[in-house]
Amino acid sequence: MSHTHRRDGHGRRRGGPDQARGRPRGVWGAALALACAAALTACGPDGGDADAAASDAPTSPATTPAGTGTPAEPTGTPPTGATPSAEDPGGSSAPATPKPGGIARCETDGLALSLVANGQEMNSKYFDLRLTNTGSEPCDLLGHPGVSLLDAGGKRVGEPATRSQDGAGDGGPVRLRPGQAAHATVKTAGEGVTDGRCWPEAATLLVYPPGSKQTVTTRDLSGLKICGDSFQVGPVGDRAP
């Protein structure tokens, strides 16, 4: 079917139904398509500027997810060794070695206790308390022993001995080779000067060696009887008083 085209008074030709006023629709569509394509090229995720930005960004070391292979190598600088100290010049954490020739304290399981009467002087009676090293190695004792008396039922008689400076001990350490004894002086008042005020008779002498919480005992008291509430013990020494 043909259409007849008329010209208006200005001599322009009026278009048919597929033409827009003044310009064909096809021209507008082409222009719009070109504009969208340009916008996508410049700003879209696949555009050239985006690729350039990605190429300029710094890259990070590749890592391997846990459980999928060998872990990535660490990128930091490894720590340096510990700074040596005055106590540990080598910077080592190994424990210090003991001093050569160190001697241990005498333990109760390597000591034997005995008591020997040592005479009377100036209204006092003296006894030699001996702690003998029964072990196979030398050991040291230092200070006062703890001394108490027990009755036949194991109950304490009176009070423990108080400390004195009687005897040959000077307060220094005593080194005992196997078979050697340390000596401490036990003193009490003579019975004749106390009007007979004496403690009940004891059955056992109980001793804490210096520095020990364990005890040694003997039932041989050599006639020890505490009178006048006077019961004293001196420090250990290397010889009898």
Side-chain angles (χ1 to χ4, degrees), residues 49-59:
D49 292 342
D51 292 340
S55 64
D56 292 338
T59 58

Side-chain angles (χ1 to χ4, degrees), residues 111-118 127-133 141 181-186 205 207 216 218 240-241:
L111 290 173
L113 172 64
S114 60
L115 189 68
V116 177
N118 202 31
F127 296 82
D128 180 19
L129 185 155
R130 299 175 182 177
L131 292 168
T132 302
N133 180 6
L141 287 177
H183 304 265
T185 297
V186 174
L205 178 70
V207 173
V216 289
T218 181

Side-chain angles (χ1 to χ4, degrees), residues 94-149:
T97 57
K99 294 181 179 180
I103 302 297
R105 187 189 70 207
C106 298
E107 301 293 342
T108 54
D109 57 359
L111 290 173
L113 172 64
S114 60
L115 189 68
V116 177
N118 202 31
Q120 181 171 341
E121 182 181 358
M122 298 295 294
N123 300 321
S124 296
K125 297 184 70 172
Y126 295 88
F127 296 82
D128 180 19
L129 185 155
R130 299 175 182 177
L131 292 168
T132 302
N133 180 6
T134 60
S136 59
E137 299 291 337
C139 61
D140 285 352
L141 287 177
L142 173 63
H144 288 73
V147 182
S148 295
L149 295 171

